[in-house]
Amino acid sequence: MSIAYDHVAGTLRGDARAIEDLRSRLQGLRDPSQLAAAMQEVGVTPPVTEDDQFLDAVRVALGTPIFTVELTVSGPGGEQRHVIDAGINAAAVRWSIARPDLAELSASPFPLLPGGMARLVRFRPGDFPLHPDASVAVPRDAVLALAAKTKKERITAWETVRDLLDGHIDVEQADASWQLVRSHCRWVAVDGEETEDMSVHLRAGDHYFVLVEAEGSLSLIPVPSVTAFETMVRVLPGSDEVRDPRS
């Protein structure tokens, strides 16, 4: 199956398997002179020229990632997964899987990454918490089921969580629109140790909750939307926290 290359948007689109194969080839491609031939092998159309600067930037970023952040968005309508590699060339390459017949590979300048993450999860302003000093204990299995692969499991889990959040949300509004967002980042620290950070937040209608673990128990803490956004992007490491992958 061919992969459509949109030169204007700087995006490659195809089925999930084709895009995964394309990404793997670009990751392992060390010689830029082989770029056009490698793209022809996986069926990229229109044909790629040897001096394609966009795809060469994607190749460099995938081959030398400073860190990798994974965003997973789960809701009543489905689940989407986005993997973003930030390379030494200040390019952030996004690999998005919407469904088996549609996946994308795209890139943007690294400074745009926080805004890009917000766009990917369709982040929006929310209402101020009705009870800002409260917290809601939630069962671990219910939180995991909110991100289950099957719609039935997600809906069943939502019914449990919704009942726990009664009084904190507009139930009718939340039933129509909720999503669980997981933001997970991995990198190698300057001392060579593999490091990771993760955040989880739930949007229920126009109200946001950050998931917090303490003493083995999970709680949803009501927060303003800006706090949920900051929590999502705070998993990204600072420039002084990561080791140069070329070292």
Side-chain angles (χ1 to χ4, degrees):
M1 181 177 179
S2 65
I3 296 172
Y5 182 16
D6 184 339
H7 290 265
V8 177
T11 302
L12 299 114
R13 297 184 180 91
D15 68 34
R17 181 172 296 180
I19 294 298
E20 183 174 10
D21 184 27
L22 168 68
R23 181 174 180 268
S24 296
R25 286 175 181 258
L26 286 168
Q27 274 182 320
L29 192 62
R30 296 293 178 259
D31 186 352
S33 67
Q34 298 177 359
L35 182 61
M39 296 302 94
Q40 184 177 10
E41 289 177 6
V42 294
V44 173
T45 57
V48 175
T49 62
E50 291 187 4
D51 61 348
D52 191 301
Q53 295 183 355
F54 169 77
L55 282 180
D56 192 51
V58 171
R59 177 191 67 83
V60 172
L62 289 175
T64 57
I66 297 174
F67 64 81
T68 299
V69 59
E70 182 172 346
L71 284 172
T72 306
V73 186
S74 307
E79 180 184 71
Q80 292 191 353
R81 176 171 172 254
H82 310 278
V83 179
I84 305 169
D85 291 296
I88 59 171
N89 57 348
V93 179
R94 171 180 59 84
W95 173 32
S96 297
I97 304 169
R99 52 183 189 269
D101 64 337
L102 179 61
E104 291 185 346
L105 195 69
S106 186
S108 61
F110 171 73
L112 302 180
L113 182 53
M117 292 170 65
R119 181 184 63 81
L120 289 173
V121 305
R122 297 183 180 180
F123 201 92
R124 67 192 198 194
D127 292 337
F128 194 78
L130 297 175
H131 306 290
D133 298 325
S135 65
V136 180
V138 289
R140 186 177 299 271
D141 57 354
V143 174
L144 293 174
L146 285 177
K149 295 295 183 183
T150 66
K151 181 176 180 178
K152 183 178 180 180
E153 288 181 89
R154 293 194 301 271
I155 295 299
T156 300
W158 166 246
E159 291 172 353
T160 297
V161 175
R162 176 195 59 197
D163 291 345
L164 294 173
L165 293 176
D166 191 17
H168 294 264
I169 60 175
D170 180 326
V171 173
E172 183 176 344
Q173 180 194 69
D175 279 346
S177 177
W178 63 267
Q179 63 179 25
L180 186 79
V181 176
R182 291 169 290 167
S183 177
H184 179 226
C185 192
R186 304 182 304 276
W187 68 93
V188 177
V190 291
D191 61 1
E193 183 178 352
E194 294 187 0
T195 309
E196 63 181 350
D197 197 4
M198 183 175 185
S199 75
V200 181
H201 76 256
L202 171 70
R203 179 182 59 78
D206 287 333
H207 290 280
Y208 284 84
F209 300 83
V210 170
L211 187 70
V212 175
E213 182 174 14
E215 299 180 354
S217 299
L218 297 180
S219 297
L220 288 168
I221 310 298
V223 296
S225 56
V226 65
T227 302
F229 170 76
E230 290 171 348
T231 301
M232 179 178 67
V233 301
R234 199 176 292 158
V235 301
L236 304 178
S239 59
D240 59 343
E241 296 180 81
V242 295
R243 188 179 71 178
D244 189 324
R246 298 166 295 184
S247 62

